[in-house]
Amino acid sequence: METTTGATPLIALAAAALDTETTGPDAGRARIIQIGAVGIERGKVVPGDRLDLLVDPGEPIPPASTRIHGISDPDVRGAASFAAAWPTLQRFVGSRILVGHTIGFDLAVLERECRRAGLAWEKPRSLCVRLLATVAHPQLADHSLDMIADWLGVRVEGRHTGLGDAIAAGEIFVALLPELRKQGIRTLGEAENACLMLSHALEAGHRAGWVEPVARPQAPAFQPVDPYAYRHRVDSLMSHPPVVVAASEPAGRVIDLMVTRKISSVLVSERGVPGEPVEAYGIVTERDMLRQISNEREEALAAPVGAIASRPLASVRAAAFAYRAIGRMDRLGLRHLAVRSDDGRLVGMLSARDLLRLRAGSAIKLDDAIEDAPDAAALAAAWATLPGVARSLLGEDIDARSVASIVSEELCALTRRAAVLAEQAMQAAGEGPPPSPYAVLVLGSGGRGESLLAPDQDNAVIFAEGDPDGPEDRWFAAFGELLAAMLDAAGVPFCRGGVMAKNPGFRGSLESWKARVDQWVRRSRPEDLLNVDIVFDLRPVHGDLALGAGFLDYAYERGHAEPAFAKLLGEQIVAGTPFTMFGSLQLEEGRFDIKKHGLFPIVAAARTLAIRHDVRAAGTRDRLEGLMARGIGGERDMKAMAEGHDLLLRLALAQQTRDIYAGIAVSNRVELAALSREQQKDLKQLVRRLQAVPDLLHDLMFR
């Protein structure tokens, strides 16, 4: 189980809802007479995971208390003492977060019982649903368990029993998750910080002698990762071209080939050649051959190898990092993976032997969990491992561009899996399969491979044919709604600018998309320019990948053919004034916006010049290097922008990991006081130099 940190999404939290019934309401004197608890996993209460204990308090139960919970002295006679019940409760809770209504009272009583029995006490990490409900709906008449349950539509049974109230608290917690997301509260750390802001409620608990129900989130201890697996991509490790044989080839002849080539597997297709869509292939390994010979003896050697091949063929992108291949092999229990190009064609083969040296290193923190995640909670749990990986990689001094590329890889994988689940949900709802071939596109920084740790949704859908508001468009509109909701629940919030496939402007047929581009490049309006630059950063991640790639080629051709269009894009890069009248960086609450004053001018300039000079590259650094290769721009200026881009990414990622673990809303602003003097100096010099980007762009536009 992953360690719970402030970065852990609430929907992915492993928790136990707890309630105690006691001899009275005074936490300083009450004795426990009943303990109820129920497990919470993946945003759901687990009915079969429950605990229901009666406890002998060792003293008479007051009649006034019995009138509330119905438990009297005869009921607890012969029950375990608290000292005997405590280990059972500890085993049930384990490392899970405790959740309860006014749980500060329960914690105070538990602590006092432990002290009385001479048992070790360590305050567990916890959340109070009363406080969370106050955050989500401060205008509620009161925040009693019954009132909150009524607001959220939670049915309460067994009121004033340990188990009944624990189940109610658990169901309330689950029902609060979407309400908290509306307030921008998605992680444990964010929830803790939001509760800590409720000073009046916390002070009332202190006066009553309760334990503080939440703690300030802390960053976990630094954990190393294997840097090799995050530096190298699959295409640098794979064997290519792959060995492919025709399905009609006799197995005996294929065995001879494997022995001669000293390989442990071959790929099989009807034509026996590489370069076709990866779905056309199967695989035969040496183990398959041995198994077939053991079963069929001599007859096996004459059998066509296509009859032995295993399908479907598992594969990985050539551009993926090595950690992805390692995770996929581990998840599927395989020793071989086919390697495919971005448009889904077979280009190579990867074996466990190729990756063996990586396994000797320290931990590979990212795995392949996203690829078979069954729901949004599982997606959220996988996505939440990213801050720790980014933090470790930055600590290993891996360049920030690679770290941002890894974040983008995971964002694209998350979007792809969410699309698969959305498509399944459409069919389960009776809407049928997709009415047309289509591709899901990731736009913006994700498409460039430069995502930071707080991306919102930038996605689109392109389908082969269909009219606006026609049957195809309506199907993809519903699909887009499901896709957006899935991503939002998984930790990638709705785009505030509406750049999502659920909105008409970001879905359409190939013909519709081409018409949009034509309109943008011929007579662009300011609002069009805000969208068109995102489209030039697209990456197809699901469906008919060639459809998306073909559209990107069309957009580049049209953009390059209209010089006035690139000029208009360039005019959007306004230098602004990031300095005070005394020459210091302008700060807001001690922070500097490095996206507005740093990343934006570099990224936008590189994109604009790439469109103008037809440099078909996705990432900012690749675009700058492509321009230099064509003699566009001085090497000093281009290298300075590339190095500045890496510096800004590093500062942003480092700040975001700190904020995520601290439960602070992540933004594109860095805390200047947290930077070293050298970093502050470098940042100030870079921002000053970037003031000249508009002039540089003007000079290079028509070279």
Side-chain angles (χ1 to χ4, degrees):
M1 181 182 294
E2 288 287 336
T3 302
T4 300
T5 70
T8 302
L10 294 173
I11 195 174
L13 207 61
L18 174 78
D19 183 76
T20 61
E21 298 299 328
T22 64
T23 56
D26 184 348
R29 301 175 58 187
R31 302 295 303 272
I32 291 176
I33 58 175
Q34 190 178 39
I35 301 172
V38 64
I40 302 172
E41 296 286 342
R42 291 186 177 180
K44 296 179 181 177
V45 172
V46 185
D49 183 18
R50 58 174 60 184
L51 180 71
D52 190 4
L53 295 176
L54 284 173
V55 178
D56 185 348
E59 62 183 47
I61 300 173
S65 297
T66 298
R67 283 194 292 273
I68 295 173
H69 47 58
I71 302 172
S72 60
D73 292 334
D75 296 318
V76 297
R77 192 172 295 126
S81 65
F82 177 81
W86 177 242
T88 303
L89 176 59
Q90 285 186 304
R91 284 192 298 271
F92 181 84
V93 174
S95 60
R96 295 190 280 195
I97 303 299
L98 284 183
V99 171
H101 185 271
T102 59
I103 198 167
F105 171 82
D106 302 282
L107 294 175
V109 177
L110 286 169
E111 179 181 15
R112 189 166 180 270
E113 290 280 19
C114 283
R115 303 292 186 217
R116 182 184 288 109
L119 300 170
W121 165 260
E122 183 177 347
K123 180 189 170 186
R125 203 164 185 173
S126 58
L127 287 172
C128 176
V129 297
R130 181 188 180 94
L131 296 181
L132 292 175
T134 304
V135 170
H137 190 352
Q139 292 79 30
L140 199 62
D142 70 68
H143 293 91
S144 65
L145 186 142
D146 296 298
M147 182 66 74
I148 299 170
D150 184 63
W151 163 50
L152 295 170
V154 171
R155 183 178 178 183
V156 180
E157 297 180 349
R159 186 72 171 98
H160 296 303
T161 66
L163 182 58
D165 286 355
I167 292 173
E171 295 288 2
I172 285 171
F173 174 75
V174 170
L176 277 170
L177 298 183
E179 300 299 325
L180 291 168
R181 283 202 297 272
K182 294 175 185 176
Q183 305 297 324
I185 298 169
R186 299 169 176 275
T187 68
L188 174 59
E190 290 168 347
E192 289 171 326
N193 274 342
C195 291
L196 288 169
M197 297 295 289
L198 301 174
S199 56
H200 291 302
L202 294 175
E203 288 169 7
H206 286 314
R207 289 195 299 271
W210 298 359
V211 168
E212 188 156 278
V214 289
R216 193 163 299 281
Q218 301 289 328
F222 180 84
Q223 294 186 345
V225 296
D226 182 352
Y228 193 100
Y230 294 93
R231 281 195 176 107
H232 292 78
R233 296 184 186 261
V234 169
D235 57 7
S236 69
L237 302 169
M238 69 182 184
S239 301
H240 64 94
V243 179
V244 184
V245 300
S248 58
E249 196 75 11
R253 198 177 299 169
V254 175
I255 291 174
D256 292 340
L257 174 66
M258 293 170 70
V259 171
T260 302
R261 299 285 295 270
K262 296 181 181 179
I263 55 178
S264 57
S265 67
V266 295
L267 298 177
V268 179
S269 71
E270 289 302 315
R271 295 178 58 207
V273 295
E276 296 180 331
V278 74
E279 294 82 6
Y281 299 89
I283 186 172
V284 173
T285 68
E286 56 190 0
R287 293 183 180 182
D288 295 330
M289 290 294 195
L290 288 172
R291 191 179 301 111
Q292 188 72 8
I293 291 171
S294 175
N295 293 336
E296 304 293 336
R297 303 299 177 184
E298 292 81 2
E299 292 83 355
L301 299 177
V305 72
I308 306 171
S310 300
R311 299 173 186 272
L313 181 64
S315 65
V316 66
R317 287 175 61 244
F321 286 91
Y323 75 82
R324 173 68 72 205
I326 293 171
R328 188 153 302 173
M329 284 186 180
D330 285 345
R331 177 174 64 85
L332 299 176
L334 299 176
R335 297 178 58 81
H336 305 84
L337 282 177
V339 182
R340 66 181 189 274
S341 62
D342 280 347
D343 62 356
R345 296 184 176 275
L346 177 71
V347 294
M349 196 68 189
L350 191 68
S351 72
R353 293 176 187 171
D354 299 322
L355 298 171
L356 186 60
R357 54 187 159 167
L358 301 182
R359 295 175 182 271
S362 51
I364 307 292
K365 295 294 182 184
L366 287 176
D367 56 25
D368 203 39
I370 286 176
E371 288 297 318
D372 67 346
D375 52 32
L379 287 175
W383 180 247
T385 60
L386 269 174
V389 172
R391 179 176 179 235
S392 297
L393 291 174
L394 292 173
E396 296 280 358
D397 206 29
I398 291 197
D399 70 278
R401 187 171 63 107
S402 293
V403 179
S405 183
I406 288 165
V407 176
S408 299
E409 283 290 315
E410 296 302 299
L411 175 63
C412 289
L414 190 79
T415 305
R416 178 169 55 252
R417 184 59 187 170
V420 171
L421 294 174
E423 190 174 316
Q424 291 173 356
M426 289 289 289
Q427 298 200 47
E431 299 296 332
S436 169
Y438 76 102
V440 174
L441 314 175
V442 169
L443 312 176
S445 60
R448 290 195 308 273
E450 297 166 2
S451 288
L452 298 175
L453 289 168
D456 56 7
Q457 294 182 39
D458 284 337
N459 57 65
V461 163
I462 182 170
F463 44 93
E465 54 187 11
D467 297 325
D469 203 32
E472 295 88 358
D473 186 54
R474 288 195 294 273
W475 192 95
F476 287 109
F479 168 83
E481 291 281 355
L482 291 171
L483 174 64
M486 182 74 64
L487 288 171
D488 180 64
V492 183
F494 297 123
C495 176
R496 284 171 288 183
V499 184
M500 295 173 286
K502 70 174 186 172
N503 295 324
F506 289 93
R507 68 172 187 273
S509 67
L510 178 59
E511 181 181 354
S512 297
W513 275 109
K514 286 182 175 180
R516 286 172 190 157
V517 169
D518 290 342
Q519 181 180 10
W520 288 337
V521 301
R522 286 176 182 165
R523 48 184 186 278
S524 294
R525 300 168 299 173
E527 58 267 32
D528 291 333
L529 293 173
L530 293 174
N531 296 331
V532 71
D533 57 358
I534 295 175
V535 170
F536 277 92
D537 293 339
L538 71 83
R539 175 179 156 189
V541 298
H542 174 68
D544 187 343
L545 304 182
L547 185 64
F551 168 65
L552 180 59
D553 285 339
Y554 179 84
Y556 258 101
E557 289 168 6
R558 295 294 296 116
H560 173 63
E562 297 284 347
F565 167 67
K567 183 173 181 292
L568 281 171
L569 280 180
E571 289 173 354
Q572 302 302 303
I573 306 174
V574 180
T577 308
F579 294 97
T580 67
M581 62 184 296
F582 301 107
S584 301
L585 292 173
Q586 285 190 359
L587 305 181
E588 183 180 339
E589 297 180 350
R591 295 195 176 208
F592 180 71
D593 190 335
I594 61 172
K595 180 176 181 180
K596 178 180 179 181
H597 299 300
L599 287 171
F600 172 72
I602 295 174
V603 169
R607 181 198 300 114
T608 300
L609 290 173
I611 295 170
R612 174 67 191 97
H613 297 288
D614 201 25
V615 175
R616 306 286 179 94
T620 298
R621 191 184 189 100
D622 292 335
R623 285 168 173 168
L624 293 172
E625 290 175 350
L627 291 164
M628 280 192 289
R630 297 190 183 192
I632 309 297
E635 184 174 344
R636 181 185 173 194
D637 288 331
M638 292 299 181
K639 282 189 173 180
M641 280 206 288
E643 291 169 0
H645 186 245
D646 190 76
L647 169 66
L648 294 168
L649 289 175
R650 177 170 292 276
L651 295 180
L653 288 165
Q655 182 68 62
Q656 288 181 346
T657 57
R658 291 194 295 269
D659 288 348
I660 287 170
Y661 284 123
I664 298 171
V666 179
S667 70
N668 296 305
R669 297 181 296 135
V670 297
E671 185 181 5
L672 210 62
L675 306 184
S676 68
R677 246 181 224 182
E678 191 68 24
Q679 287 175 322
Q680 292 185 35
K681 177 184 174 183
D682 290 344
L683 176 60
K684 189 173 181 180
Q685 288 179 344
L686 173 62
V687 172
R688 192 173 297 282
R689 189 166 190 170
L690 291 177
Q691 296 296 285
V693 164
D695 293 334
L696 177 67
L697 196 63
H698 181 269
D699 293 342
L700 299 180
M701 188 65 69
F702 296 102
R703 285 196 179 182

